[in-house]
């Protein structure tokens, strides 16, 4: 059986420009999951579970408003808040799965396609290690070439990056390849580049098993890598910005054209 959902295997790259230069590159993979297809995937695949234990799993409590069984409802609500009608939309989520019960997703991206196939909006769900989550909902004005979005940073993410920053997204939506690029800037210009690029593979038990062998304990490696790179940045003398708890640990910003936040 073939699915609309898929695997994208590739690399994550981070490049810090200042005040200390720093680079990293890790091999990773993500799952592209059609929200309406996940129950079928969970029933069909032995290695994948939706809201249940499995070698690979995705739980609604890790995303959206955290309500089990409510991920599609949450996405629909956010699209309506942005002035879009989600009826008939196909929503696909690009994320890391839980592997043997563990995951940390720094960024989950939701691609929202209208009934005619046009990309209507992208939701950027950013998580930090303090169990806070902020989603930026941004309509797509044109479906031709890379999607470029911009918005102000609203949630603390890294102890080495100040809050007064802007996210500049450049997205190549998933087809045979996918590309997620984020340039973070402050008042002095470019500060950090982060990107993921991957190639599509069919989603099956065989493919998931091959991912397990090729990327063992990947999600633990992601969290371990975050702390290791933080140690390296600290050792280089990079300034530290203390965490200020978010007013709401799960929040959303609706972004209109030109990065303007909806009031």
């Amino acid at each position: 059986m073939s699915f609309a959902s898929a695997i994208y295997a590739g690399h994550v790259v981070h490049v810090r420009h200042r005040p200390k230069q720093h680079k990293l590159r890790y091999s990773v993979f993500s799952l592209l999951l059609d929200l309406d297809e996940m129950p079928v995937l969970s029933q069909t695949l032995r290695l994948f579970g939706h809201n249940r234990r499995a070698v690979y799993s995705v739980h609604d409590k890790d995303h959206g408003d955290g309500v089990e069984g409510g991920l599609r409802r949450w996405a629909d609500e956010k699209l309506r808040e942005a002035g879009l009608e989600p009826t008939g939309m196909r929503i696909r989520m690009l994320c890391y799965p839980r592997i043997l019960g563990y995951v940390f997703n720094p960024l989950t991206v939701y691609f929202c396609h209208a009934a005619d196939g046009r990309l209507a909006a992208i939701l950027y769900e950013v998580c930090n290690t303090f169990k806070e989550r902020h989603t930026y909902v941004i309509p797509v004005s044109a479906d031709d070439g890379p999607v470029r979005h911009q918005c102000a940073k609203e949630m603390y993410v890294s102890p080495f990056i100040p809050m007064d920053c802007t996210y500049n997204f450049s997205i190549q939506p998933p087809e045979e390849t996918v590309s997620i690029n984020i340039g973070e800037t402050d008042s002095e210009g470019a500060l950090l580049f982060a990107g993921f690029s991957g190639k599509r593979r069919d989603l099956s038990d065989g493919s998931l098993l091959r991912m397990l062998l090729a990327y063992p304990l990947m999600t633990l490696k992601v969290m371990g890598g975050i702390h290791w790179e933080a140690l390296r940045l600290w050792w280089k003398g990079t300034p530290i910005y203390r965490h200020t708890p978010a007013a709401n640990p799960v929040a959303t910003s609706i972004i209109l054209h030109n990065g303007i936040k909806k009031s």
Side-chain angles (χ1 to χ4, degrees):
M1 180 182 294
S2 61
F3 301 107
S5 302
I7 298 169
Y8 283 85
H11 296 88
V12 164
V13 176
H14 282 209
V15 179
R16 185 184 182 94
H17 303 297
R18 55 182 169 80
K20 304 291 184 179
Q21 292 189 350
H22 188 77
K23 297 180 181 180
L24 66 86
R25 176 183 169 95
Y26 291 136
S27 297
V28 296
F29 76 91
S30 294
L31 297 185
L32 181 71
L33 299 167
D34 186 307
L35 297 192
D36 295 326
E37 193 176 57
M38 279 203 288
V40 176
L41 295 172
S42 187
Q43 294 170 5
T44 304
L45 298 174
R46 294 183 179 182
L47 297 182
F48 176 83
H50 178 218
N51 293 328
R52 68 173 179 85
R53 291 182 180 180
V55 174
Y56 295 97
S57 61
V58 170
H59 292 252
D60 293 350
K61 66 183 179 181
D62 297 329
H63 301 280
D65 59 9
V67 176
E68 184 171 328
L71 189 55
R72 174 69 201 226
R73 170 200 50 77
W74 168 82
D76 287 352
E77 288 177 358
K78 298 308 165 186
L79 289 167
R80 288 193 176 97
E81 289 177 17
L84 301 170
E85 176 49 55
T87 302
M89 274 196 184
R90 180 180 58 158
I91 302 177
R92 299 179 297 165
M93 173 176 69
L94 187 72
C95 67
Y96 295 145
R98 288 189 179 210
I99 301 178
L100 301 176
Y102 181 81
V103 72
F104 175 67
N105 266 293
L107 176 67
T108 297
V109 183
Y110 301 78
F111 298 92
C112 307
H113 292 262
D116 62 3
R118 176 182 55 85
L119 184 61
I122 297 179
L123 280 59
Y124 303 92
E125 182 181 76
V126 180
C127 295
N128 64 22
T129 56
F130 296 92
K131 297 184 179 180
E132 296 169 341
R133 186 160 61 241
H134 198 107
T135 303
Y136 306 87
V137 181
I138 312 182
V140 173
S141 58
D143 191 8
D144 182 20
V147 177
R148 301 190 187 280
H149 281 151
Q150 184 181 85
C151 65
K153 177 181 177 179
E154 298 285 347
M155 184 187 74
Y156 179 97
V157 175
S158 167
F160 302 101
I161 299 178
M163 280 295 298
D164 189 15
C165 289
T166 298
Y167 291 132
N168 300 277
F169 300 99
S170 178
I171 310 295
Q172 187 63 54
E175 294 181 359
E176 287 306 307
T177 61
V178 66
S179 178
I180 311 293
N181 294 318
I182 308 166
E184 196 164 354
T185 60
D186 63 9
S187 59
E188 297 180 23
L191 180 62
L192 176 74
F193 169 84
F196 167 69
S197 58
K199 293 183 179 180
R200 187 185 191 280
R201 302 185 185 186
D202 290 339
L203 181 56
S204 67
D205 278 320
S207 295
L208 290 173
L209 181 59
R210 287 189 287 274
M211 293 298 102
L212 189 64
L213 297 175
Y215 304 87
L217 302 178
M218 182 191 73
T219 51
L220 282 173
K221 185 179 76 172
V222 169
M223 181 59 84
I226 288 171
H227 287 90
W228 170 244
E229 298 302 336
L231 180 61
R232 292 178 62 198
L233 284 168
W234 172 80
W235 185 258
K236 289 180 177 182
T238 307
I240 294 177
Y241 301 88
R242 300 294 180 183
H243 172 243
T244 300
N248 187 340
V250 178
T252 305
S253 294
I254 307 299
I255 310 298
L256 304 180
H257 298 297
N258 299 319
I260 299 173
K261 183 178 177 181
K262 181 179 179 181
S263 59

